[in-house]
Amino acid sequence: MWLTLRRYLLSVAGPLRTRRRNLQLASLLAFTAGVLNSVGFVAVAVYTSHMTGLTAGVADHLVRGGRDVVLVGVLGLATFLAGAASCAVVFNWGRRRDLRSRYANVLIIEAVLVLLFGLLADRLTWGHRELVFVAVLCFTMGMQNAVITKISGAQIRTTHVTGMVTDIGIELGKLAYLHRSHHLDPVVADPRKLAMLSMLVGLFFGGGVLGAAGYLEFGFAVVVPLALLLLATASAPLLADVRAYRN
C-alpha cells in the first residue's frame, strides 16, 4: 500500500503529466483557491484571486476617490503578478536541471506560505495588517494560477471561474445545437470537458463555502489542514530529487 501511495504522489505532482493527473491536481487546487478566496474576502473584504475585480476597483476609485481601495488593488495586482513570475523562475530553474520536482517546488512554496499564513495571521496586530493578508494571498494565487497553466498547457485555470463558466456555456450550446444540414460536419460537444469544468467550478464553490464558514468558526487556522494536504501532495517529487542528489 505504501509503495502504491508513493507512486501516486510521485506522479500527481511530477513532471510526466496525463489528463487524469492534471484533473486530480487541478481539483485540489480549485478547492484550495475557493477556500483562500473566501477567507480573504471575509477577513478583509477582498477577493484575492479576482484580478478583474481588483483592476476595475482601482480604475473606479482613481476617478471617484478612495486612496485605500486603490492601494489595496495595486498591491493585490502587483503581488499576483510577482507570484506568477516567481512560479516561472522556480519552474524553469527546475526544468533546466531536469528535476522531478519542477512543478512540485512551486506547490511546496505555496503550501508553506499558506501554512505560515494560517498559523501566524491571527497574531499580527499591525494596524494595516490587511495589506499583508492581501499581499500573501494574491502572491499565492498568482503562483498557483501560473503553475496549473504550465501543467495543463493553458487548458485549466483554478483561481477564477470566468473562463471555465464560459467554456461550460460553449459546450452546453454545442449540446443544444440542432443539426439541420446533415451534409455538413456536425457540431459535437465534449462531455468529458463539460464534466471536468463543472466539477472544478463546483470545487471552487465548495471551497468558498468551507472557507467562509471555517474562518468564522476557527479564524485563519482553517487553512492549515489544506496547506498540510498540499504539502503532502507535492513533497514526493522533491524528496526523490534530494535522494538522487545524495546518491
Side-chain angles (χ1 to χ4, degrees):
M1 181 177 178
W2 165 246
L3 290 177
T4 301
L5 177 61
R6 182 174 180 274
R7 283 195 297 268
Y8 174 76
L9 292 176
L10 283 170
S11 64
V12 73
L16 301 178
R17 309 304 307 169
T18 65
R19 183 187 179 105
R20 184 177 182 182
R21 290 291 182 260
N22 286 349
L23 178 57
Q24 290 169 345
L25 185 58
S27 297
L28 173 60
L29 295 181
F31 185 78
T32 299
V35 171
L36 295 178
N37 199 43
S38 284
V39 167
F41 182 76
V42 177
V44 295
V46 176
Y47 284 123
T48 52
S49 71
H50 187 34
M51 294 302 104
T52 304
L54 285 180
T55 303
V58 170
D60 291 343
H61 285 86
L62 277 174
V63 176
R64 298 168 52 200
R67 184 182 62 180
D68 290 345
V69 175
V70 172
L71 175 61
V72 169
V74 170
L75 177 65
L77 289 165
T79 50
F80 189 97
L81 181 65
S86 298
C87 169
V89 171
V90 173
F91 168 77
N92 285 298
W93 179 86
R95 180 179 61 83
R96 286 178 174 268
R97 288 159 179 79
D98 198 30
L99 298 181
R100 296 183 71 167
S101 58
R102 64 192 69 169
Y103 298 118
N105 287 336
V106 179
L107 299 175
I108 287 172
I109 294 172
E110 176 184 350
V112 171
L113 284 173
V114 173
L115 180 61
L116 293 174
F117 179 78
L119 293 173
L120 301 176
D122 277 322
R123 301 183 183 182
L124 184 61
T125 58
W126 183 44
H128 299 287
R129 68 178 193 160
E130 70 276 3
L131 298 179
V132 178
F133 299 162
V134 169
V136 172
L137 291 174
C138 285
F139 183 88
T140 301
M141 290 294 91
M143 288 194 77
Q144 178 175 310
N145 204 44
V147 75
I148 198 63
T149 299
K150 285 280 189 184
I151 287 172
S152 69
Q155 296 300 308
I156 300 173
R157 300 286 197 272
T158 61
T159 63
H160 56 280
V161 301
T162 303
M164 291 190 286
V165 172
T166 301
D167 289 341
I168 288 171
I170 291 171
E171 295 304 322
L172 289 175
K174 290 178 180 179
L175 281 174
Y177 188 82
L178 297 177
H179 299 286
R180 301 182 185 278
S181 301
H182 297 288
H183 62 284
L184 298 177
D185 291 336
V187 176
V188 180
D190 186 343
R192 289 207 306 174
K193 182 178 181 181
L194 180 59
M196 176 193 72
L197 294 170
S198 299
M199 183 179 72
L200 292 177
V201 172
L203 285 167
F204 186 94
F205 176 81
V209 172
L210 178 65
Y215 176 78
L216 293 175
E217 182 68 25
F218 304 107
F220 290 106
V222 67
V223 305
V224 170
L226 198 59
L228 293 174
L229 176 60
L230 187 57
L231 190 62
T233 301
S235 293
L238 175 61
L239 294 175
D241 283 337
V242 170
R243 282 193 291 268
Y245 177 78
R246 288 178 176 176
N247 294 331

